Amino acid sequence: MHSKIFQITTVKVTDEGRLTEDTLTQGDGNFYDYCMEIEPEIRKQCIDILVNKILPSGMFELIDEDTLLYKGGAEQWKKEFVAYIQAKAGELNTENVQDWIGPVYQLEKALKNPLETSFQFYMDEEGYTRSAEESYEFMRRICEMEPGTTLYIGGVIDYHF
């Protein structure tokens, strides 16, 4: 399957610091079979999908093609996230606790990826990380930010897994 990785940072991304297909560890049993750059028009479409369909409604505003404004809403999102996790945990019982792809697996997925997306997020501003994160880590970092924080979108790459 294919999806996208978004480099999102609190500092403007330079050309040298931009996420590319060569930034991440690929192949040989790694999470990514391979990564590749995308065309500028596809990039714009992917950013639109991210902002308008994936990220929590009302928390972000795209102020230009490479810049997001975090408008706030972390407290509400955290309440919804906790309710979501509690509902998933409530599905567990002694009969299904060891089911293959059962409630334990579903809870694990919900904890790692509360936005329920195959999109991943690369937020390393120093460029040391060789993989991206699922949506929990992105939202955890967002919840630490003040409303009005500007976020910059650097590289957007396609990955196959």
Side-chain angles (χ1 to χ4, degrees), residues 2 4 27-28 40 50-51 54 65 68 85 92 111-112 114-116 132 149 154 157:
H2 285 266
K4 304 298 181 267
D28 297 326
L50 175 70
V51 174
I54 303 298
E65 67 181 33
L68 286 172
I85 295 305
L92 286 165
L111 287 166
K112 291 179 180 178
L115 301 182
E116 298 179 334
T149 299
I157 61 173

XYZ file of all heavy atoms in Angstrom, residues 2 4 27-28 40 50-51 54 65 68 85 92 111-112 114-116 132 149 154 157:
159
model
N 0.310 2.317 -0.506
C 0.994 3.604 -0.542
C 0.298 4.589 0.383
O -0.913 4.534 0.567
C 0.951 4.199 -1.958
C 1.873 3.554 -2.909
N 3.129 4.030 -3.165
C 1.724 2.455 -3.679
C 3.713 3.255 -4.057
N 2.878 2.292 -4.383
N 1.390 8.734 2.483
C 2.271 9.896 2.455
C 2.873 10.160 3.831
O 2.275 9.856 4.854
C 1.509 11.153 2.011
C 0.816 11.024 0.672
C 1.772 10.778 -0.467
C 1.076 10.672 -1.810
N 0.746 9.308 -2.185
N 13.616 -0.452 2.849
C 13.978 -1.798 2.410
C 14.508 -2.673 3.525
O 14.565 -2.293 4.687
N 14.890 -3.888 3.177
C 15.512 -4.843 4.098
C 14.791 -4.982 5.430
O 15.378 -4.893 6.501
C 16.976 -4.473 4.363
C 17.828 -4.525 3.113
O 17.551 -5.392 2.254
O 18.755 -3.709 2.996
N 4.649 18.373 -7.545
C 4.111 19.510 -6.790
C 2.575 19.557 -6.741
O 2.012 19.905 -5.701
C 4.680 20.731 -7.533
C 5.948 20.220 -8.154
C 5.658 18.791 -8.527
N -4.848 16.366 4.079
C -4.378 16.371 5.461
C -5.141 17.394 6.296
O -5.686 17.065 7.354
C -2.881 16.668 5.514
C -2.287 16.821 6.916
C -2.271 15.482 7.640
C -0.903 17.431 6.850
N -5.202 18.617 5.816
C -5.788 19.704 6.589
C -7.310 19.588 6.681
O -7.893 19.829 7.742
C -5.379 21.073 6.000
C -6.095 22.213 6.689
C -3.869 21.254 6.100
N -8.103 14.874 7.476
C -7.394 14.014 8.436
C -7.232 14.697 9.799
O -7.580 14.122 10.829
C -6.014 13.587 7.890
C -6.147 12.868 6.549
C -5.281 12.728 8.924
C -6.941 11.582 6.568
N 0.526 27.720 1.102
C 0.688 26.329 0.660
C 1.646 25.501 1.514
O 1.598 24.276 1.468
C 1.097 26.265 -0.810
C 2.470 26.807 -1.112
C 2.797 26.727 -2.592
O 1.879 26.861 -3.408
O 3.981 26.528 -2.896
N 0.944 26.059 8.234
C -0.265 25.796 9.013
C -0.254 26.682 10.252
O 0.804 26.949 10.822
C -0.281 24.343 9.515
C -0.564 23.229 8.550
C -0.329 21.886 9.236
C -1.976 23.317 8.041
N -10.422 5.962 23.460
C -9.608 4.879 24.036
C -10.422 4.087 25.055
O -10.377 2.856 25.095
C -8.314 5.436 24.666
C -7.424 6.053 23.595
C -7.570 4.375 25.457
C -7.076 5.137 22.450
N -13.030 -5.003 25.466
C -12.254 -6.157 25.928
C -13.023 -6.964 26.965
O -13.678 -6.411 27.839
C -10.949 -5.694 26.574
C -9.861 -5.190 25.658
C -8.809 -4.448 26.444
C -9.248 -6.333 24.893
N -4.361 3.608 20.058
C -3.374 4.324 20.861
C -2.273 4.934 19.992
O -1.835 6.061 20.229
C -2.747 3.386 21.895
C -3.648 3.006 23.061
C -3.056 1.829 23.827
C -3.881 4.197 23.980
N -1.828 4.206 18.994
C -0.743 4.666 18.133
C -1.206 5.638 17.062
O -0.438 6.482 16.611
C -0.066 3.479 17.452
C 0.710 2.594 18.385
C 1.319 1.454 17.610
C 2.107 0.533 18.513
N 2.667 -0.604 17.765
N -4.550 7.661 16.599
C -5.907 8.117 16.898
C -6.602 8.826 15.737
O -7.831 8.902 15.714
C -5.728 9.062 18.081
C -4.300 9.481 18.007
C -3.551 8.318 17.434
N -5.845 9.320 14.761
C -6.469 9.966 13.608
C -6.892 8.949 12.544
O -7.461 9.327 11.526
C -5.535 11.023 13.002
C -5.114 12.162 13.938
C -4.235 13.161 13.193
C -6.317 12.844 14.568
N -6.590 7.683 12.802
C -6.983 6.581 11.907
C -6.587 6.862 10.462
O -7.398 6.791 9.541
C -8.476 6.303 12.015
C -8.903 5.858 13.395
C -10.404 5.608 13.507
O -11.188 6.210 12.743
O -10.774 4.809 14.376
N 9.317 8.067 10.294
C 8.257 8.992 10.680
C 7.412 8.340 11.771
O 7.612 7.175 12.116
C 7.409 9.331 9.461
N 0.558 28.936 17.228
C 1.846 28.411 16.782
C 1.795 28.171 15.275
O 0.842 27.601 14.755
C 2.190 27.094 17.504
O 2.272 27.344 18.907
C 3.508 26.509 17.016
N 7.358 20.844 5.242
C 8.542 20.679 4.397
C 8.240 19.648 3.324
O 7.302 19.784 2.547
N 6.373 13.106 1.028
C 6.811 12.017 0.163
C 5.833 10.845 0.235
O 5.122 10.663 1.205
C 8.245 11.552 0.494
C 8.353 11.027 1.926
C 9.254 12.672 0.247
C 9.701 10.398 2.232
